[in-house]
Amino acid sequence: MTAPKVPSLGIDEELKNKLLFTLLAILIYRIGAHITAPGVNPAALVAYIQNSAAQGFFNLYDALGGGLYRATIFALGIMPYISASIIFQLAGGLVPTVSKMQKEEEGRKRLTQWTRYMTIFIAFSQAYTFTLFTEGIPGAMVNPGFASRLTMVFTLTAGAVFVMWLGEQITERGIGNGMSMLIAVSIMERLWPASFQLINSIRTNVVSISGAVFLILVAVAAIAAVVAMTIAARRIPIQIPRKVMGRGRIREGQKTFIPIRLITAGVMPIVFAQTIIIVPGTVANFTKSPLLADLAGFFQPGGWAYNLTFGVMILLFSYFYTSIVFNSVDLAENLKKQGGFIPGVKPGAATADYIDGVLARVTLPGAIFLAVIAILPIVIAQRVGFQAVFGGTSVLIVVGVLLDTIAQVEQHRTLRKYDSFMKSGRVKFRGRQQRYI
């Protein structure tokens, strides 16, 4: 009598290799993010930026994975690629040709290649602009001149292209979602030094113990709220009727749903609003215009004018970006082709109008939540006297990436479970059924 086989409890080698490759790629990325570009004095650069009106722009850029403050070889980070992707994503909702390409396999491959070319162009433009900015700072360039300028431009451009390639490798060979993961790791890296900064602030009586506890509690509550709102969705019921497929095969009727997320636009409304609201201060720093300087002073972070304008812009961009990324007409047409329908709603245009109505109602609470989560850290930082390490944008990115990574790991484990079940099973098939296995 033979003993029954015990299933192996060893580590999934494929998942292990994916995780190790992802960690190696992240390690390379973070090492490069701390290597200063040749010919740059980072101390002079940091001192100048911290005392300039363009500080808001550099804070926003570095919060999304860049390293302009220290002028590292990966200073541009993944943002050139993200900017190029957003351009083609918006073009898909405005240009019919691009929209058609997004629905075809060959068209998507061509758009991916165009996105890479656009990334190189944006990276070169940003590298050249940042190099000119650095040359204008006394003591920031060790040996200013044409050769130094050329070296820095090509170093930053090559760094941005390498980061793009690294993110694609994580997506293909790693755990997935490489671009977002690089940004999330850059954000989380700042948590450790910020913790020591908070402890030093408590020791020097800059921040009280009660204020620090309040700050931590608010941060935990904000993260919990972001998790809940990220996965929250309004489910629209869908009925798929029974259908005869031919040769005696019958597809049974199904009941499913379309999930309409409360935060369909994700973090993009906050990014767009921040990018626009810091324009007056950035332009005033370069042009030395008194009018723009007064306007930038009026929109100081934390003031009522800044908070009100910032919140309204987030609301507007939430509706705008949602209308771009969510095409209710295509969704209604696909449902009609499959024979599916929403109970009580006619197929076709009526279905699209119904989905638009639901989307408009659902987007409002999501947009209000985005505005609150973006403004709340600024208000609390003023009350407590300590600059929060995570803004609304950072929390949304980190939570979204971690939730997606967990889902990727669970999906991989589930697929491996089914694969092992099919390989070790003893189910026998007879007759015609065996030919279709």
Side-chain angles (χ1 to χ4, degrees):
M1 185 174 181
T2 59
K5 287 186 178 180
V6 179
S8 176
L9 299 178
I11 300 175
D12 186 350
E13 288 297 325
E14 184 180 355
L15 180 60
K16 177 183 176 181
N17 293 334
K18 285 178 177 291
L19 291 173
L20 289 176
F21 181 83
T22 302
L23 292 175
L24 178 62
I26 291 174
L27 178 62
I28 295 173
Y29 175 63
R30 296 320 302 162
I31 291 176
H34 289 81
I35 300 176
T36 306
V40 180
N41 180 9
L45 181 62
V46 171
Y48 181 85
I49 293 176
Q50 289 178 344
N51 297 319
S52 69
Q55 183 179 4
F57 169 78
F58 288 99
N59 286 336
L60 172 62
Y61 203 99
D62 285 4
L64 297 176
L68 295 179
Y69 256 95
R70 301 184 304 274
T72 63
I73 59 176
F74 292 164
L76 300 180
I78 201 64
M79 284 308 296
Y81 181 85
I82 298 296
S83 302
S85 300
I86 291 174
I87 290 174
F88 284 105
Q89 190 175 20
L90 295 177
L94 302 174
V95 182
T97 304
V98 179
S99 177
K100 183 179 179 181
M101 293 174 65
Q102 290 176 343
K103 300 174 184 178
E104 302 171 353
E105 183 66 26
E106 290 299 324
R108 285 194 293 267
K109 290 181 180 179
R110 188 177 301 177
L111 285 177
T112 301
Q113 198 64 24
W114 289 359
T115 303
R116 292 168 180 165
Y117 294 145
M118 179 65 74
T119 300
I120 297 174
F121 173 76
I122 294 176
F124 183 84
S125 303
Q126 291 180 348
Y128 185 75
T129 304
F130 180 68
T131 301
L132 294 181
F133 171 78
T134 307
E135 286 183 345
I137 301 175
M141 298 290 288
V142 179
N143 295 311
F146 178 78
S148 180
R149 179 188 306 174
L150 192 65
T151 301
M152 186 171 179
V153 168
F154 278 97
T155 298
L156 297 183
T157 304
V161 174
F162 180 79
V163 171
M164 175 187 69
W165 176 83
L166 203 60
E168 291 181 347
Q169 293 303 307
I170 294 177
T171 302
E172 295 176 5
R173 302 175 58 186
I175 203 62
N177 204 9
M179 307 299 176
S180 299
M181 185 167 291
L182 292 180
I183 297 177
V185 170
S186 302
I187 295 172
M188 289 187 292
E189 186 191 29
R190 295 180 294 159
L191 183 62
W192 186 252
S195 302
F196 286 104
Q197 185 179 354
L198 179 60
I199 294 174
N200 291 331
S201 299
I202 296 174
R203 289 177 178 175
T204 56
N205 295 324
V206 175
V207 179
S208 63
I209 297 179
S210 59
V213 173
F214 175 72
L215 184 65
I216 294 173
L217 291 177
V218 169
V220 173
I223 293 173
V226 169
V227 172
M229 292 295 290
T230 300
I231 63 178
R234 161 75 159 84
R235 296 183 174 184
I236 300 178
I238 299 296
Q239 179 71 45
I240 301 178
R242 184 178 181 182
K243 185 178 180 181
V244 178
M245 306 295 293
R247 292 187 179 181
R249 294 182 299 166
I250 298 177
R251 186 187 69 184
E252 296 294 335
Q254 299 178 3
K255 289 183 179 180
T256 182
F257 59 87
I258 301 174
I260 307 293
R261 294 190 177 275
L262 269 65
I263 311 180
T264 305
V267 73
M268 295 313 299
I270 301 179
V271 175
F272 286 155
Q274 282 183 325
T275 303
I276 292 178
I277 205 168
I278 64 177
V279 167
T282 306
V283 176
N285 182 72
F286 287 102
T287 62
K288 309 299 181 183
S289 172
L291 179 61
L292 290 176
D294 294 338
L295 185 63
F298 182 72
F299 286 105
Q300 281 295 325
W304 67 268
Y306 178 92
N307 293 339
L308 179 62
T309 306
F310 193 29
V312 171
M313 291 174 67
I314 291 175
L315 290 175
L316 296 177
F317 279 121
S318 294
Y319 279 96
F320 169 74
Y321 196 75
T322 299
S323 65
I324 294 295
V325 300
F326 196 98
N327 194 327
S328 59
V329 176
D330 287 349
L331 182 58
E333 288 297 324
N334 291 333
L335 280 176
K336 188 176 180 180
K337 292 177 182 177
Q338 295 176 5
F341 62 92
I342 300 174
V345 181
K346 293 182 179 180
T351 299
D353 293 338
Y354 178 82
I355 294 175
D356 282 335
V358 174
L359 189 64
R361 292 192 297 270
V362 167
T363 301
L364 180 60
I368 294 175
F369 175 78
L370 288 179
V372 171
I373 204 67
I375 298 173
L376 187 64
I378 302 174
V379 176
I380 292 179
Q382 287 185 329
R383 297 291 185 268
V384 177
F386 180 79
Q387 183 63 40
V389 62
F390 280 179
T393 310
S394 302
V395 174
L396 285 166
I397 291 175
V398 172
V399 169
V401 171
L402 291 180
L403 289 176
D404 185 70
T405 303
I406 293 173
Q408 293 274 1
V409 173
E410 290 297 327
Q411 181 182 8
H412 180 85
R413 290 173 62 87
T414 302
L415 290 175
R416 294 291 293 177
K417 242 182 232 182
Y418 279 110
D419 288 344
S420 61
F421 172 76
M422 295 301 294
K423 289 178 182 178
S424 61
R426 296 183 177 180
V427 180
K428 300 295 184 181
F429 296 93
R430 296 179 180 177
R432 292 192 309 170
Q433 289 181 344
Q434 190 172 4
R435 291 183 298 176
Y436 298 101
I437 302 301

